[in-house]
Amino acid sequence: MNLYFKKILALIQVSKSEQIITSAEELQKNAVELSVYPNPAQHDFNVSVGLPEPNHVSLTIYNLTGKVADVVCTKLYFPAGLHSIHREHRLKKGVYLVVLETQNSKQIKELTANQLFSNFSLNLFQ
């Protein structure tokens, strides 16, 4: 291989690596963010959603068998920015998957519910 060809090959490799870095930075800048806290949750939890652009959002909670445990919202419009959703849960003790879907992405976070939910309520003022 002659020296001229080696230099061209080196320039192509540098150019490709710069594209990868730019693409990774661009991906991070345009990524949808999802966090769930506190986790584990006792009675309630918060879901934080970061959107780089306006989008329709569906937020669903599944148990580990794949059954829907709770639907927080379905194709609800959110403007760009950071959004927090407070949810009092009625989930049985266990592990769940919080799934955030937008028009072009899907994020999944694990949620552990520690408090057993009961339909029993005590009224002390009867």
Side-chain angles (χ1 to χ4, degrees), residues 42-43 89 91-93 113-118:
Q42 295 297 322
H43 302 287
H89 75 78
L91 303 172
K92 294 180 181 176
K93 186 174 184 176
N114 277 344
Q115 182 68 31
L116 287 172
F117 174 73
S118 170

Side-chain angles (χ1 to χ4, degrees), residues 43-60:
H43 302 287
D44 56 352
F45 61 92
N46 296 295
V47 177
S48 180
V49 177
L51 299 172
E53 58 189 28
N55 220 318
H56 288 89
V57 171
S58 294
L59 190 63
T60 309

Side-chain angles (χ1 to χ4, degrees), residues 2-14:
N2 68 23
L3 183 61
Y4 180 74
F5 186 71
K6 286 182 181 179
K7 286 182 179 180
I8 290 176
L9 189 58
L11 285 173
I12 290 171
Q13 289 173 341
V14 168

Side-chain angles (χ1 to χ4, degrees), residues 16-60:
K16 284 184 178 179
S17 68
E18 287 175 353
Q19 281 183 329
I20 292 169
I21 291 170
T22 303
S23 297
E25 289 170 357
E26 195 66 29
L27 181 63
Q28 186 177 12
K29 193 181 348 178
N30 292 324
V32 174
E33 297 176 19
L34 171 66
S35 64
V36 180
Y37 59 94
N39 196 4
Q42 295 297 322
H43 302 287
D44 56 352
F45 61 92
N46 296 295
V47 177
S48 180
V49 177
L51 299 172
E53 58 189 28
N55 220 318
H56 288 89
V57 171
S58 294
L59 190 63
T60 309

Side-chain angles (χ1 to χ4, degrees), residues 30-122:
N30 292 324
V32 174
E33 297 176 19
L34 171 66
S35 64
V36 180
Y37 59 94
N39 196 4
Q42 295 297 322
H43 302 287
D44 56 352
F45 61 92
N46 296 295
V47 177
S48 180
V49 177
L51 299 172
E53 58 189 28
N55 220 318
H56 288 89
V57 171
S58 294
L59 190 63
T60 309
I61 301 172
Y62 295 90
N63 66 21
L64 292 183
T65 65
K67 292 183 181 177
V68 174
D70 191 13
V71 177
V72 179
C73 63
T74 304
K75 295 184 180 178
L76 187 63
Y77 177 81
F78 281 82
L82 186 62
H83 308 278
S84 184
I85 301 166
H86 179 82
R87 192 75 169 174
E88 291 183 20
H89 75 78
R90 296 177 182 261
L91 303 172
K92 294 180 181 176
K93 186 174 184 176
V95 178
Y96 296 86
L97 299 176
V98 179
V99 179
L100 170 74
E101 292 181 80
T102 64
Q103 292 166 327
N104 52 7
S105 76
K106 187 178 208 176
Q107 300 285 324
I108 302 172
K109 294 289 181 180
E110 188 177 287
L111 170 67
T112 302
N114 277 344
Q115 182 68 31
L116 287 172
F117 174 73
S118 170
N119 287 327
F120 176 79
S121 63
L122 179 62

